[in-house]
Amino acid sequence: MTDALATLPAPRHPDPADAPALRWGVLGPGGIAADFTDALHRHTGQRVVAAGSRSAERAAAFAAAHGVERSHGSYEALVSDPDVDVVYIATPHSEHLEHALLAIAAGKHILIEKPMAVTAEQARRIVAAAREAGVFAMEAMWTRYLPQTDIIRQLLEREALGELRVVTADFGGHVPYQPESRLWNPALAGGALLDLGVYTVSWASFALGAPAGIIAAGTLAPSGVDEQAALLLSSAGGAQALLSTSLLAGTPSLATISGSAARIETDSPFWGPSGLRVFRSDGTLAAHWRDPYGRPHRDGMAYEAAALARYVGEGRTESPLHPLAEAVDTLATIDEARRQLGATRVE
């Protein structure tokens, strides 16, 4: 066991630049769309060929700033563009259902920013529509496609940690309270859980699967959205996940998976390219892996785009590393946590 832990498996992901080239359309040219577009153009053969917004001026400005060929002054025009293979949906998650269905109806493959929708029921509608249309659909949980995640995946597949017992993850940031802004406004599906918290719930799902029990505690903002939350998730086998998220304070953004034989601790941030440490059951360090690939921070979104292109080339309709059913289950966990907290719901 000691030797196996000291020699970590190599990530199995090929270079993002080697993925088949698809033509992308960006629906919702905001900050994360800008980082996504730049990551694709820097690190892959993918190309964003069109940007669409309700504002023609905003779409044109985005296209000019990020080397995009053309722009559209409506979402309908973007999804109807015959030169677009796949639509990246980067609008606020309160609009994901509408925009996903719009793109699917136009016959486009879709990558939807996380969370896939506001509720599990909305996500199920997207999944059903994509399957009926036969198009590829994927939630943009980019953490699943990082090299470090594949190392962890291989350790879990080999049961190198022994029997899993405790999983932890945190993600918090200090966001000044502005009741009309996206993170604080219930009409825009604001709150910590549906934004930062989705990373932590997805991490627990990655390690343990869908929870058998959910206990949530936290506080609400004056607007009624959850401003801070702690979740205790339990698995059918008795393992537990301890998760926290906050809009009130920055937290370390660390995650762990602990088993009877060993534990994994990520470097910070666990949700982006960083690294990991593996400790033996006696607490001694077995190995420390640092990401060597030079795609820091949101440049790591190149991996998910490359994965999508490969899956489409293989004729798949969903990701084998992050199936649509799991994205739905993650939202079901958040649904229940928000219900327990009494968070305002606008659907």
Side-chain angles (χ1 to χ4, degrees), residues 69-155:
E69 296 174 12
R70 58 190 173 278
S71 61
H72 296 288
S74 73
Y75 298 142
E76 291 79 8
L78 175 75
V79 301
S80 299
D81 188 326
D83 291 329
V84 169
D85 301 313
V86 54
V87 175
Y88 171 58
I89 298 169
T91 46
H93 31 268
S94 55
E95 301 181 55
H96 285 180
L97 173 62
E98 176 187 350
H99 296 153
L101 295 181
L102 182 71
I104 290 168
K108 304 299 186 184
H109 304 304
I110 55 172
L111 176 65
I112 314 172
E113 256 312 323
K114 74 207 83 60
M116 177 182 288
V118 176
T119 66
E121 181 54 36
Q122 287 189 0
R124 291 186 191 101
R125 290 179 60 187
I126 294 171
V127 172
R131 287 178 173 160
E132 183 176 357
V135 299
F136 185 94
M138 187 170 104
E139 182 184 51
M141 184 52 68
W142 59 300
T143 307
R144 292 297 177 93
Y145 306 94
L146 299 177
Q148 70 206 37
T149 306
D150 190 58
I151 295 173
I152 298 170
R153 184 179 291 110
Q154 291 181 71
L155 292 173

Side-chain angles (χ1 to χ4, degrees), residues 26 30-44 46-48 62-68 88 298-302:
V26 166
I32 196 165
D35 290 343
F36 179 84
T37 300
D38 292 345
L40 261 63
H41 291 175
R42 275 195 289 263
H43 302 294
T44 80
Q46 316 296 310
R47 282 297 173 266
V48 176
F62 181 94
H66 299 283
V68 176
Y88 171 58
R298 282 182 170 176
D299 273 17
M301 290 190 288

Side-chain angles (χ1 to χ4, degrees), residues 53-330:
S53 172
R54 293 192 180 103
S55 163
E57 293 77 12
R58 187 164 181 251
F62 181 94
H66 299 283
V68 176
E69 296 174 12
R70 58 190 173 278
S71 61
H72 296 288
S74 73
Y75 298 142
E76 291 79 8
L78 175 75
V79 301
S80 299
D81 188 326
D83 291 329
V84 169
D85 301 313
V86 54
V87 175
Y88 171 58
I89 298 169
T91 46
H93 31 268
S94 55
E95 301 181 55
H96 285 180
L97 173 62
E98 176 187 350
H99 296 153
L101 295 181
L102 182 71
I104 290 168
K108 304 299 186 184
H109 304 304
I110 55 172
L111 176 65
I112 314 172
E113 256 312 323
K114 74 207 83 60
M116 177 182 288
V118 176
T119 66
E121 181 54 36
Q122 287 189 0
R124 291 186 191 101
R125 290 179 60 187
I126 294 171
V127 172
R131 287 178 173 160
E132 183 176 357
V135 299
F136 185 94
M138 187 170 104
E139 182 184 51
M141 184 52 68
W142 59 300
T143 307
R144 292 297 177 93
Y145 306 94
L146 299 177
Q148 70 206 37
T149 306
D150 190 58
I151 295 173
I152 298 170
R153 184 179 291 110
Q154 291 181 71
L155 292 173
L156 294 177
E157 289 170 351
R158 298 174 186 181
E159 300 182 347
L161 305 186
E163 185 178 6
L164 301 188
R165 301 310 307 169
V166 179
V167 172
T168 70
D170 72 87
F171 191 3
H174 179 258
V175 182
Y177 180 67
Q178 297 175 325
E180 299 305 314
S181 66
R182 179 181 67 83
L183 288 175
W184 298 103
N185 187 343
L188 298 177
L193 280 166
L194 279 171
D195 193 83
L196 307 182
V198 68
Y199 285 96
T200 68
V201 177
S202 183
W203 174 263
S205 177
F206 168 63
L208 299 177
I214 303 167
I215 299 173
T219 58
L220 303 180
S223 61
V225 304
D226 53 287
E227 60 185 8
Q228 184 161 292
L231 274 59
L232 171 60
L233 310 182
S234 57
S235 74
Q240 295 176 319
L242 310 173
L243 314 175
S244 67
T245 186
S246 178
L247 299 178
L248 303 178
T251 67
S253 290
L254 299 172
T256 69
I257 304 173
S258 298
S260 56
R263 76 177 185 273
I264 295 167
E265 297 182 1
T266 69
D267 294 343
S268 178
F270 77 89
W271 39 261
S274 55
L276 61 93
R277 291 174 170 83
V278 179
F279 293 86
R280 304 179 183 90
S281 58
D282 63 3
T284 58
L285 178 67
H288 184 193
W289 182 88
R290 296 179 179 87
D291 189 294
Y293 298 110
R295 302 181 186 104
H297 309 299
R298 282 182 170 176
D299 273 17
M301 290 190 288
Y303 292 106
E304 68 178 353
L308 183 149
R310 292 190 190 96
Y311 298 151
V312 168
E314 294 166 0
R316 299 178 184 269
T317 55
E318 63 182 293
S319 167
L321 299 186
H322 188 48
L324 293 170
E326 187 180 354
V328 173
D329 286 343
T330 292

